[in-house]
Coordinates of all heavy atoms in Angstrom, one line a residue:
M1 N 0.8 -1.2 0.0 CA 0.0 0.0 0.0 C 0.9 1.2 0.0 O 1.8 1.3 0.8 CB -0.9 0.0 1.3 CG -1.8 1.2 1.3 SD -2.8 1.2 2.8 CE -3.9 -0.1 2.5
K2 N 0.6 2.2 -0.9 CA 1.4 3.4 -1.0 C 0.8 4.4 0.0 O -0.4 4.6 0.1 CB 1.3 3.9 -2.4 CG 2.3 5.1 -2.6 CD 2.4 5.4 -4.1 CE 3.4 6.5 -4.3 NZ 3.8 6.7 -5.6
T3 N 1.7 5.1 0.7 CA 1.3 6.2 1.6 C 1.8 7.5 1.0 O 2.7 7.5 0.1 CB 1.9 6.0 3.0 OG1 3.3 6.0 2.9 CG2 1.5 4.7 3.6
Y4 N 1.2 8.6 1.5 CA 1.6 9.9 1.0 C 1.9 10.8 2.2 O 1.0 10.9 3.1 CB 0.5 10.6 0.2 CG 0.9 12.0 -0.3 CD1 1.8 12.2 -1.3 CD2 0.3 13.1 0.3 CE1 2.2 13.4 -1.7 CE2 0.6 14.3 -0.1 CZ 1.5 14.5 -1.1 OH 1.9 15.8 -1.5
H5 N 3.1 11.4 2.3 CA 3.5 12.3 3.4 C 2.9 13.6 3.1 O 3.4 14.3 2.2 CB 5.0 12.4 3.5 CG 5.4 13.1 4.7 ND1 6.8 13.4 5.0 CD2 4.8 13.7 5.8 CE1 6.9 14.1 6.1 NE2 5.7 14.3 6.6
Y6 N 1.8 14.0 3.8 CA 1.1 15.2 3.5 C 1.8 16.4 4.1 O 1.3 17.0 5.1 CB -0.4 15.0 4.0 CG -1.3 16.2 3.7 CD1 -1.3 16.8 2.4 CD2 -2.2 16.6 4.6 CE1 -2.2 17.9 2.2 CE2 -3.1 17.7 4.4 CZ -3.0 18.3 3.1 OH -3.9 19.3 2.9
K7 N 2.9 16.8 3.5 CA 3.6 18.0 4.0 C 2.9 19.3 3.8 O 3.2 20.3 4.5 CB 5.0 18.1 3.3 CG 5.9 16.9 3.5 CD 7.1 17.0 2.7 CE 7.9 15.7 2.8 NZ 9.1 15.7 1.9
E8 N 2.0 19.4 2.8 CA 1.3 20.6 2.5 C 0.4 21.1 3.7 O 0.0 22.2 3.8 CB 0.4 20.4 1.3 CG 1.1 20.1 0.0 CD 1.5 18.7 -0.2 OE1 1.2 17.8 0.7 OE2 1.9 18.4 -1.3
S9 N 0.2 20.2 4.7 CA -0.6 20.5 5.9 C 0.2 21.5 6.8 O -0.4 22.1 7.6 CB -1.0 19.3 6.7 OG 0.2 18.7 7.2
G10 N 1.5 21.5 6.6 CA 2.4 22.3 7.5 C 2.8 21.5 8.7 O 3.5 22.0 9.6
L11 N 2.3 20.3 8.8 CA 2.6 19.4 10.0 C 3.5 18.3 9.5 O 3.5 17.9 8.4 CB 1.3 18.8 10.5 CG 0.3 19.8 11.0 CD1 -1.1 19.1 11.3 CD2 0.7 20.5 12.2
D12 N 4.4 17.9 10.4 CA 5.5 16.9 10.0 C 5.0 15.5 10.0 O 5.6 14.6 9.4 CB 6.6 17.0 11.0 CG 7.3 18.4 11.0 OD1 7.3 19.0 9.9 OD2 7.8 18.9 12.0
N13 N 3.9 15.2 10.7 CA 3.6 13.8 11.0 C 2.3 13.3 10.4 O 1.6 12.4 10.9 CB 3.6 13.5 12.5 CG 2.6 14.4 13.2 OD1 2.1 15.4 12.7 ND2 2.4 14.1 14.5
I14 N 1.9 13.9 9.2 CA 0.6 13.5 8.6 C 0.9 12.6 7.4 O 1.5 13.1 6.4 CB -0.2 14.7 8.2 CG1 -0.5 15.6 9.4 CG2 -1.5 14.3 7.5 CD1 -1.3 15.0 10.5
Y15 N 0.5 11.4 7.4 CA 0.7 10.4 6.3 C -0.7 9.9 5.9 O -1.4 9.4 6.8 CB 1.6 9.3 6.8 CG 3.0 9.7 7.0 CD1 3.5 10.2 8.2 CD2 4.0 9.6 6.0 CE1 4.8 10.6 8.4 CE2 5.3 10.0 6.1 CZ 5.7 10.5 7.4 OH 7.0 10.9 7.6
L16 N -1.0 9.9 4.7 CA -2.2 9.4 4.2 C -2.0 8.0 3.6 O -1.1 7.7 2.9 CB -2.7 10.3 3.0 CG -2.9 11.8 3.3 CD1 -3.4 12.6 2.1 CD2 -3.7 12.0 4.6
V17 N -3.0 7.1 4.0 CA -2.9 5.8 3.5 C -4.0 5.5 2.4 O -4.0 4.5 1.7 CB -3.0 4.7 4.6 CG1 -1.7 4.8 5.5 CG2 -4.2 4.9 5.4
N18 N -5.0 6.4 2.4 CA -6.1 6.3 1.4 C -6.7 7.6 1.2 O -6.3 8.6 1.9 CB -7.1 5.2 1.8 CG -7.7 5.5 3.1 OD1 -8.0 6.6 3.5 ND2 -8.1 4.4 3.8
G19 N -7.6 7.7 0.2 CA -8.3 8.9 0.0 C -7.6 9.9 -0.8 O -7.9 11.1 -0.8
F20 N -6.6 9.5 -1.6 CA -5.8 10.4 -2.4 C -5.4 9.6 -3.7 O -5.4 8.4 -3.8 CB -4.5 10.9 -1.7 CG -3.5 9.8 -1.5 CD1 -2.5 9.6 -2.4 CD2 -3.6 9.0 -0.3 CE1 -1.5 8.6 -2.1 CE2 -2.6 8.0 -0.1 CZ -1.6 7.8 -1.0
K21 N -5.1 10.4 -4.7 CA -4.6 9.9 -6.0 C -3.4 10.7 -6.4 O -3.4 11.9 -6.4 CB -5.7 10.0 -7.0 CG -5.4 9.4 -8.4 CD -6.6 9.6 -9.3 CE -6.2 9.1 -10.7 NZ -7.4 9.2 -11.6
I22 N -2.4 10.1 -6.9 CA -1.2 10.7 -7.4 C -1.1 10.5 -8.9 O -1.2 9.3 -9.3 CB 0.1 10.3 -6.7 CG1 0.1 10.6 -5.2 CG2 1.3 10.9 -7.3 CD1 1.2 10.0 -4.4
T23 N -1.0 11.5 -9.7 CA -0.8 11.4 -11.1 C 0.5 12.1 -11.5 O 0.9 13.0 -10.8 CB -2.0 12.0 -11.9 OG1 -2.1 13.4 -11.5 CG2 -3.3 11.3 -11.5
K24 N 1.0 11.6 -12.6 CA 2.3 12.2 -13.1 C 2.0 12.8 -14.5 O 1.2 12.2 -15.3 CB 3.4 11.1 -13.3 CG 4.0 10.7 -12.0 CD 5.2 9.9 -12.2 CE 5.8 9.6 -10.8 NZ 7.1 8.9 -11.0
T25 N 2.5 14.0 -14.7 CA 2.4 14.6 -16.0 C 3.4 14.1 -17.0 O 4.3 13.3 -16.5 CB 2.6 16.2 -15.9 OG1 4.0 16.4 -15.4 CG2 1.6 16.8 -14.9
K26 N 3.4 14.4 -18.2 CA 4.3 13.9 -19.2 C 5.7 14.4 -18.9 O 6.7 13.7 -19.2 CB 3.9 14.4 -20.6 CG 2.7 13.8 -21.1 CD 2.4 14.3 -22.5 CE 1.1 13.6 -23.0 NZ 0.7 14.1 -24.4
S27 N 5.8 15.5 -18.2 CA 7.2 16.0 -17.8 C 7.7 15.4 -16.5 O 8.8 15.6 -16.1 CB 7.1 17.5 -17.6 OG 6.3 17.9 -16.6
G28 N 6.9 14.5 -15.9 CA 7.3 13.8 -14.7 C 6.9 14.4 -13.4 O 7.2 13.9 -12.3
D29 N 6.3 15.6 -13.5 CA 5.8 16.2 -12.2 C 4.7 15.4 -11.6 O 3.8 14.8 -12.3 CB 5.3 17.6 -12.5 CG 6.4 18.6 -13.0 OD1 7.6 18.4 -12.6 OD2 6.1 19.5 -13.7
E30 N 4.6 15.3 -10.3 CA 3.6 14.6 -9.6 C 2.5 15.6 -9.1 O 2.9 16.7 -8.6 CB 4.1 13.8 -8.4 CG 4.8 12.6 -8.8 CD 5.1 11.7 -7.6 OE1 5.0 12.2 -6.4 OE2 5.5 10.6 -7.8
H31 N 1.3 15.2 -9.2 CA 0.2 16.0 -8.7 C -0.7 15.1 -7.8 O -0.9 14.0 -8.2 CB -0.7 16.6 -9.8 CG 0.0 17.5 -10.7 ND1 0.0 18.9 -10.4 CD2 0.6 17.4 -11.9 CE1 0.7 19.5 -11.3 NE2 1.1 18.6 -12.3
I32 N -1.0 15.7 -6.7 CA -1.9 14.9 -5.7 C -3.3 15.4 -5.7 O -3.5 16.7 -5.7 CB -1.3 14.8 -4.3 CG1 -2.1 14.0 -3.4 CG2 -1.1 16.2 -3.8 CD1 -1.4 13.3 -2.3
F33 N -4.2 14.5 -5.7 CA -5.6 14.9 -5.5 C -6.1 14.2 -4.3 O -6.0 13.0 -4.1 CB -6.5 14.5 -6.7 CG -7.9 14.7 -6.5 CD1 -8.5 16.0 -6.6 CD2 -8.8 13.7 -6.2 CE1 -9.8 16.2 -6.4 CE2 -10.1 13.9 -6.0 CZ -10.6 15.1 -6.1
I34 N -6.6 15.0 -3.3 CA -7.2 14.4 -2.1 C -8.7 14.5 -2.2 O -9.3 15.6 -2.4 CB -6.7 15.2 -0.8 CG1 -5.1 15.1 -0.8 CG2 -7.3 14.7 0.4 CD1 -4.5 15.9 0.3
H35 N -9.3 13.3 -2.1 CA -10.7 13.2 -2.4 C -11.6 14.1 -1.5 O -12.6 14.6 -1.9 CB -11.2 11.7 -2.3 CG -10.4 10.9 -3.3 ND1 -10.7 10.9 -4.6 CD2 -9.4 10.0 -3.1 CE1 -9.9 10.1 -5.2 NE2 -9.1 9.5 -4.3
D36 N -11.3 14.2 -0.2 CA -12.2 15.0 0.8 C -11.2 15.8 1.6 O -11.0 15.5 2.8 CB -13.0 14.1 1.6 CG -14.0 14.8 2.5 OD1 -14.1 16.0 2.4 OD2 -14.5 14.2 3.4
I37 N -10.7 16.9 1.0 CA -9.7 17.7 1.7 C -10.3 18.4 3.0 O -9.6 18.5 4.0 CB -9.1 18.7 0.8 CG1 -7.8 19.4 1.4 CG2 -10.1 19.8 0.3 CD1 -6.6 18.6 1.4
H38 N -11.5 18.8 2.9 CA -12.2 19.4 4.0 C -12.4 18.4 5.2 O -12.2 18.7 6.3 CB -13.5 20.1 3.6 CG -13.3 21.1 2.6 ND1 -12.7 22.3 2.9 CD2 -13.7 21.2 1.3 CE1 -12.7 23.1 1.8 NE2 -13.3 22.4 0.8
G39 N -12.8 17.2 4.8 CA -13.0 16.2 5.8 C -11.6 15.8 6.5 O -11.5 15.6 7.7
L40 N -10.6 15.7 5.6 CA -9.2 15.4 6.1 C -8.8 16.5 7.1 O -8.3 16.2 8.2 CB -8.2 15.3 5.0 CG -6.8 15.2 5.4 CD1 -6.5 13.9 6.2 CD2 -5.9 15.3 4.2
H41 N -9.0 17.8 6.8 CA -8.5 18.9 7.6 C -9.4 18.9 8.9 O -8.8 19.2 10.0 CB -8.6 20.2 6.9 CG -7.5 20.4 5.9 ND1 -7.5 21.4 5.0 CD2 -6.4 19.6 5.6 CE1 -6.5 21.3 4.2 NE2 -5.8 20.2 4.6
K42 N -10.6 18.6 8.8 CA -11.5 18.5 10.0 C -11.0 17.4 10.9 O -10.8 17.5 12.2 CB -12.9 18.2 9.7 CG -13.9 18.2 10.8 CD -15.3 18.1 10.4 CE -16.2 18.0 11.6 NZ -17.6 17.9 11.2
A43 N -10.6 16.2 10.4 CA -10.1 15.1 11.1 C -8.8 15.4 11.8 O -8.6 15.1 13.0 CB -10.0 13.8 10.3
I44 N -7.9 16.1 11.1 CA -6.6 16.5 11.7 C -6.9 17.5 12.8 O -6.3 17.3 13.9 CB -5.7 17.1 10.6 CG1 -5.3 16.1 9.6 CG2 -4.5 17.7 11.3 CD1 -4.6 16.7 8.3
G45 N -7.8 18.4 12.6 CA -8.1 19.4 13.7 C -8.6 18.7 14.9 O -8.3 19.1 16.0
M46 N -9.5 17.8 14.7 CA -10.1 17.0 15.9 C -9.1 16.3 16.6 O -9.1 16.2 17.9 CB -11.2 16.1 15.4 CG -12.5 16.8 14.8 SD -13.3 17.9 16.0 CE -14.0 16.8 17.1
I47 N -8.2 15.7 15.9 CA -7.1 14.9 16.6 C -6.2 15.9 17.4 O -5.8 15.6 18.5 CB -6.2 14.1 15.6 CG1 -7.1 13.0 15.0 CG2 -4.9 13.7 16.2 CD1 -6.5 12.3 13.8
L48 N -5.9 17.1 16.8 CA -5.0 18.0 17.5 C -5.7 18.6 18.7 O -5.0 18.7 19.8 CB -4.7 19.2 16.5 CG -3.8 18.8 15.4 CD1 -3.6 20.1 14.5 CD2 -2.5 18.3 15.8
I49 N -7.0 18.9 18.7 CA -7.6 19.5 19.9 C -7.9 18.4 20.9 O -8.1 18.8 22.1 CB -8.9 20.3 19.5 CG1 -10.0 19.4 19.0 CG2 -8.6 21.4 18.6 CD1 -11.3 20.0 18.9
S50 N -7.8 17.2 20.6 CA -8.0 16.1 21.6 C -6.7 15.5 22.2 O -6.8 14.7 23.1 CB -8.8 14.9 20.9 OG -10.0 15.4 20.4
K51 N -5.6 15.9 21.6 CA -4.3 15.3 22.1 C -3.9 15.8 23.4 O -4.3 16.9 23.9 CB -3.2 15.5 21.0 CG -2.6 16.9 21.1 CD -1.4 17.0 20.2 CE -0.5 18.1 20.7 NZ 0.9 17.9 20.4
R52 N -3.2 14.9 24.1 CA -2.6 15.3 25.4 C -1.4 16.2 25.2 O -0.7 16.1 24.2 CB -2.2 14.1 26.2 CG -3.4 13.3 26.6 CD -3.0 12.1 27.5 NE -4.1 11.3 27.8 CZ -4.6 11.2 29.1 NH1 -4.0 11.8 30.0 NH2 -5.6 10.4 29.3
G53 N -1.2 17.1 26.2 CA 0.0 17.9 26.1 C -0.3 19.2 25.3 O -1.4 19.4 24.8
F54 N 0.7 20.1 25.3 CA 0.6 21.3 24.6 C 0.7 21.2 23.1 O 1.4 20.3 22.6 CB 1.6 22.3 25.1 CG 1.4 22.7 26.6 CD1 2.4 22.4 27.5 CD2 0.3 23.4 27.0 CE1 2.2 22.8 28.9 CE2 0.1 23.8 28.3 CZ 1.1 23.5 29.2
L55 N 0.0 22.1 22.4 CA 0.1 22.2 21.0 C 1.5 22.7 20.6 O 2.0 23.6 21.2 CB -1.0 23.1 20.4 CG -2.4 22.6 20.6 CD1 -3.4 23.7 20.2 CD2 -2.7 21.3 19.7
S56 N 2.0 22.3 19.5 CA 3.2 22.8 18.9 C 2.9 24.1 18.1 O 1.7 24.3 17.8 CB 3.9 21.8 18.0 OG 3.2 21.6 16.8
G57 N 3.9 24.8 17.7 CA 3.6 26.0 16.9 C 3.0 25.7 15.6 O 2.1 26.4 15.1
K58 N 3.4 24.6 14.9 CA 2.8 24.2 13.7 C 1.4 23.8 13.8 O 0.6 24.0 13.0 CB 3.7 23.0 13.1 CG 5.0 23.4 12.6 CD 5.8 22.3 12.0 CE 7.1 22.7 11.5 NZ 7.9 21.6 10.9
E59 N 1.1 23.1 15.0 CA -0.3 22.7 15.2 C -1.2 23.9 15.5 O -2.3 24.0 15.0 CB -0.3 21.7 16.4 CG 0.3 20.4 16.1 CD 0.6 19.6 17.3 OE1 0.6 20.1 18.5 OE2 0.8 18.4 17.1
I60 N -0.7 24.9 16.2 CA -1.5 26.1 16.4 C -1.7 26.8 15.1 O -2.9 27.2 14.8 CB -0.7 27.1 17.4 CG1 -0.6 26.5 18.8 CG2 -1.4 28.5 17.4 CD1 0.3 27.2 19.7
K61 N -0.7 26.9 14.2 CA -0.9 27.5 12.9 C -1.9 26.8 12.1 O -2.7 27.4 11.4 CB 0.5 27.7 12.2 CG 0.4 28.4 10.9 CD 1.8 28.7 10.4 CE 1.7 29.5 9.1 NZ 3.0 29.9 8.6
F62 N -1.8 25.5 12.1 CA -2.8 24.7 11.3 C -4.2 25.0 11.8 O -5.1 25.2 10.9 CB -2.5 23.2 11.5 CG -3.4 22.3 10.7 CD1 -3.3 22.0 9.4 CD2 -4.6 21.8 11.4 CE1 -4.2 21.2 8.7 CE2 -5.5 21.0 10.7 CZ -5.3 20.7 9.3
I63 N -4.4 24.9 13.1 CA -5.8 25.1 13.6 C -6.2 26.6 13.2 O -7.4 26.8 12.8 CB -5.9 24.9 15.1 CG1 -5.7 23.4 15.4 CG2 -7.2 25.4 15.7 CD1 -5.4 23.0 16.8
R64 N -5.4 27.5 13.4 CA -5.7 28.9 13.2 C -6.1 29.1 11.7 O -7.1 29.7 11.3 CB -4.6 29.9 13.5 CG -4.9 31.3 13.2 CD -3.7 32.2 13.6 NE -2.5 31.9 12.9 CZ -2.2 32.3 11.6 NH1 -3.2 32.9 10.9 NH2 -1.1 32.0 11.0
S65 N -5.3 28.5 10.8 CA -5.5 28.6 9.4 C -6.8 27.9 9.0 O -7.6 28.4 8.1 CB -4.3 28.0 8.6 OG -3.2 28.7 8.8
M66 N -7.1 26.7 9.5 CA -8.3 26.0 9.2 C -9.6 26.8 9.7 O -10.6 26.7 9.1 CB -8.3 24.6 9.8 CG -7.3 23.7 9.1 SD -7.5 23.6 7.3 CE -6.1 24.6 6.7
L67 N -9.4 27.6 10.8 CA -10.5 28.4 11.3 C -10.6 29.7 10.5 O -11.5 30.5 10.8 CB -10.4 28.6 12.8 CG -10.5 27.4 13.6 CD1 -10.2 27.7 15.1 CD2 -11.9 26.8 13.5
D68 N -9.7 29.9 9.6 CA -9.6 31.1 8.8 C -9.5 32.4 9.7 O -10.1 33.4 9.5 CB -10.8 31.3 7.9 CG -10.6 32.3 6.7 OD1 -9.4 32.5 6.3 OD2 -11.6 32.8 6.2
L69 N -8.6 32.3 10.7 CA -8.3 33.4 11.6 C -6.9 34.0 11.3 O -6.0 33.2 11.1 CB -8.4 32.9 13.0 CG -9.7 32.4 13.6 CD1 -9.6 31.8 14.9 CD2 -10.7 33.6 13.6
S70 N -6.8 35.3 11.4 CA -5.5 35.9 11.4 C -4.9 35.7 12.8 O -5.6 35.3 13.8 CB -5.7 37.4 11.1 OG -6.3 38.0 12.2
Q71 N -3.6 36.0 12.9 CA -3.0 35.9 14.2 C -3.6 37.0 15.2 O -3.8 36.7 16.3 CB -1.5 36.2 14.1 CG -0.7 35.1 13.4 CD 0.7 35.4 13.0 OE1 1.0 36.6 12.8 NE2 1.5 34.4 12.9
T72 N -4.0 38.1 14.6 CA -4.6 39.1 15.4 C -6.0 38.7 15.9 O -6.3 38.8 17.1 CB -4.8 40.4 14.6 OG1 -3.5 40.9 14.2 CG2 -5.4 41.5 15.4
S73 N -6.8 38.0 15.1 CA -8.1 37.5 15.5 C -8.0 36.5 16.5 O -8.7 36.5 17.5 CB -8.8 37.0 14.3 OG -9.1 38.0 13.3
L74 N -7.1 35.5 16.4 CA -6.9 34.5 17.4 C -6.4 35.1 18.7 O -6.9 34.7 19.7 CB -5.9 33.4 16.9 CG -5.6 32.3 17.9 CD1 -6.9 31.5 18.2 CD2 -4.5 31.3 17.3
A75 N -5.5 36.1 18.6 CA -5.0 36.7 19.8 C -6.2 37.4 20.6 O -6.2 37.3 21.8 CB -4.0 37.7 19.5
K76 N -7.1 38.0 19.9 CA -8.2 38.6 20.5 C -9.1 37.6 21.2 O -9.5 37.8 22.4 CB -9.1 39.4 19.5 CG -8.4 40.7 19.1 CD -9.3 41.5 18.1 CE -8.6 42.7 17.6 NZ -9.4 43.4 16.6
I77 N -9.3 36.5 20.6 CA -10.1 35.4 21.2 C -9.4 34.9 22.5 O -10.1 34.6 23.5 CB -10.3 34.3 20.2 CG1 -11.2 34.7 19.0 CG2 -10.9 33.0 20.8 CD1 -11.3 33.8 17.8
L78 N -8.1 34.8 22.4 CA -7.4 34.2 23.5 C -7.0 35.2 24.6 O -6.4 34.9 25.6 CB -6.1 33.5 23.0 CG -6.4 32.3 22.1 CD1 -5.1 31.7 21.6 CD2 -7.2 31.2 22.9
G79 N -7.2 36.5 24.3 CA -6.8 37.6 25.2 C -5.3 37.8 25.3 O -4.8 38.1 26.4
C80 N -4.6 37.7 24.2 CA -3.2 38.0 24.2 C -2.9 38.8 23.0 O -3.8 39.2 22.2 CB -2.4 36.7 24.2 SG -2.7 35.6 22.7
S81 N -1.6 39.2 22.8 CA -1.3 40.0 21.6 C -1.0 39.1 20.4 O -0.7 37.9 20.5 CB 0.0 40.8 21.9 OG 1.1 40.0 22.0
Y82 N -1.0 39.7 19.2 CA -0.7 38.9 18.0 C 0.7 38.5 18.0 O 1.1 37.4 17.5 CB -1.1 39.7 16.7 CG 0.0 40.6 16.2 CD1 0.9 40.2 15.3 CD2 0.0 42.0 16.7 CE1 1.9 41.1 14.9 CE2 1.0 42.8 16.3 CZ 1.9 42.4 15.4 OH 2.9 43.3 15.0
Q83 N 1.6 39.3 18.7 CA 3.0 38.9 18.8 C 3.2 37.6 19.5 O 4.1 36.8 19.2 CB 3.9 40.0 19.4 CG 4.1 41.2 18.6 CD 3.2 42.4 19.0 OE1 2.2 42.2 19.7 NE2 3.6 43.6 18.6
T84 N 2.3 37.4 20.5 CA 2.4 36.2 21.3 C 2.0 35.0 20.4 O 2.7 34.0 20.4 CB 1.4 36.2 22.5 OG1 1.8 37.3 23.4 CG2 1.4 35.0 23.3
V85 N 1.0 35.1 19.6 CA 0.6 34.1 18.7 C 1.7 33.8 17.7 O 2.1 32.7 17.4 CB -0.7 34.4 18.0 CG1 -1.1 33.3 16.9 CG2 -1.9 34.5 19.0
L86 N 2.3 34.9 17.2 CA 3.4 34.8 16.3 C 4.6 34.0 16.9 O 5.1 33.1 16.3 CB 3.9 36.1 15.9 CG 5.1 36.2 15.0 CD1 4.8 35.8 13.6 CD2 5.7 37.6 14.9
L87 N 4.9 34.3 18.1 CA 6.0 33.6 18.8 C 5.6 32.1 19.0 O 6.5 31.2 18.9 CB 6.3 34.2 20.1 CG 7.0 35.6 20.0 CD1 7.1 36.2 21.4 CD2 8.4 35.5 19.4
W88 N 4.4 31.8 19.4 CA 4.0 30.4 19.5 C 4.2 29.7 18.2 O 4.7 28.6 18.2 CB 2.5 30.3 19.9 CG 2.1 30.8 21.3 CD1 3.0 30.9 22.4 CD2 0.8 31.2 21.7 NE1 2.2 31.4 23.4 CE2 0.9 31.5 23.1 CE3 -0.4 31.2 21.1 CZ2 -0.2 32.0 23.8 CZ3 -1.5 31.6 21.8 CH2 -1.4 32.0 23.2
E89 N 3.7 30.3 17.1 CA 3.8 29.6 15.8 C 5.2 29.4 15.4 O 5.5 28.5 14.6 CB 3.0 30.4 14.8 CG 1.5 30.3 15.0 CD 0.7 31.0 14.0 OE1 1.2 31.5 13.0 OE2 -0.6 30.9 14.1
K90 N 6.1 30.3 15.8 CA 7.5 30.1 15.4 C 8.3 29.3 16.5 O 9.5 29.2 16.4 CB 8.2 31.5 15.3 CG 7.7 32.3 14.1 CD 8.5 33.6 14.0 CE 8.2 34.3 12.7 NZ 9.1 35.3 12.4
E91 N 7.5 28.8 17.4 CA 8.1 27.9 18.5 C 9.1 28.7 19.3 O 10.1 28.1 19.8 CB 8.7 26.6 17.9 CG 7.8 25.9 17.0 CD 7.3 24.6 17.4 OE1 7.8 24.0 18.4 OE2 6.4 24.1 16.8
K92 N 8.9 30.0 19.5 CA 9.8 30.8 20.3 C 9.2 31.3 21.6 O 9.8 32.0 22.3 CB 10.3 32.0 19.5 CG 11.2 31.6 18.3 CD 11.7 32.7 17.6 CE 12.6 32.2 16.4 NZ 13.3 33.3 15.7
G93 N 7.9 30.9 21.8 CA 7.2 31.3 23.0 C 6.5 30.1 23.6 O 6.2 29.2 22.9
I94 N 6.3 30.1 24.8 CA 5.6 29.0 25.5 C 4.2 29.3 25.7 O 3.8 30.3 26.2 CB 6.3 28.7 26.9 CG1 7.8 28.3 26.7 CG2 5.5 27.6 27.6 CD1 8.5 28.2 27.9
I95 N 3.3 28.4 25.1 CA 1.9 28.6 25.2 C 1.5 28.4 26.6 O 1.9 27.4 27.3 CB 1.1 27.8 24.2 CG1 -0.3 28.1 24.2 CG2 1.4 26.3 24.5 CD1 -1.1 27.5 23.0
S96 N 0.6 29.2 27.2 CA 0.1 29.0 28.5 C -0.9 27.9 28.5 O -1.5 27.5 27.5 CB -0.6 30.3 29.0 OG -1.8 30.5 28.3
K97 N -1.1 27.3 29.7 CA -2.0 26.2 29.9 C -3.4 26.7 29.5 O -4.2 25.9 28.8 CB -2.0 25.7 31.3 CG -2.8 24.5 31.5 CD -2.7 23.9 32.9 CE -3.5 22.7 33.1 NZ -3.3 22.1 34.5
T98 N -3.8 27.9 29.9 CA -5.1 28.4 29.6 C -5.3 28.6 28.1 O -6.4 28.2 27.5 CB -5.3 29.7 30.3 OG1 -5.1 29.6 31.7 CG2 -6.7 30.3 30.1
A99 N -4.4 29.2 27.4 CA -4.5 29.4 26.0 C -4.5 28.1 25.2 O -5.2 27.9 24.3 CB -3.3 30.2 25.5
D100 N -3.7 27.1 25.7 CA -3.7 25.8 25.0 C -5.0 25.1 25.2 O -5.5 24.5 24.2 CB -2.6 24.9 25.6 CG -2.5 23.6 24.9 OD1 -2.0 23.5 23.8 OD2 -2.9 22.6 25.5
H101 N -5.6 25.3 26.3 CA -6.9 24.6 26.6 C -7.9 25.2 25.6 O -8.8 24.6 25.0 CB -7.3 24.9 28.0 CG -8.6 24.1 28.4 ND1 -9.8 24.6 28.1 CD2 -8.8 22.9 28.9 CE1 -10.7 23.7 28.5 NE2 -10.1 22.6 29.0

């Protein structure tokens, strides 16, 4: 069974085992088609919000992007500055327990 490392998600550990098709062009370029991209992103988001421990910067960015929020918008929701969100996403700041929750 062929798997696909879904790097386009921005996350390092997402591998697809089904629900995708890879085609090659005449020039040898590969194109991927994911059958239910919205369902996939929803599933990834549900796994992230259910996991134990703090979210990583990449995981925060993924969730924020899937919710179509800017760093400023997310910061307002969490009661912090956009610079704080920026630092979390760059893995240069430590997310508080309250914000992670």
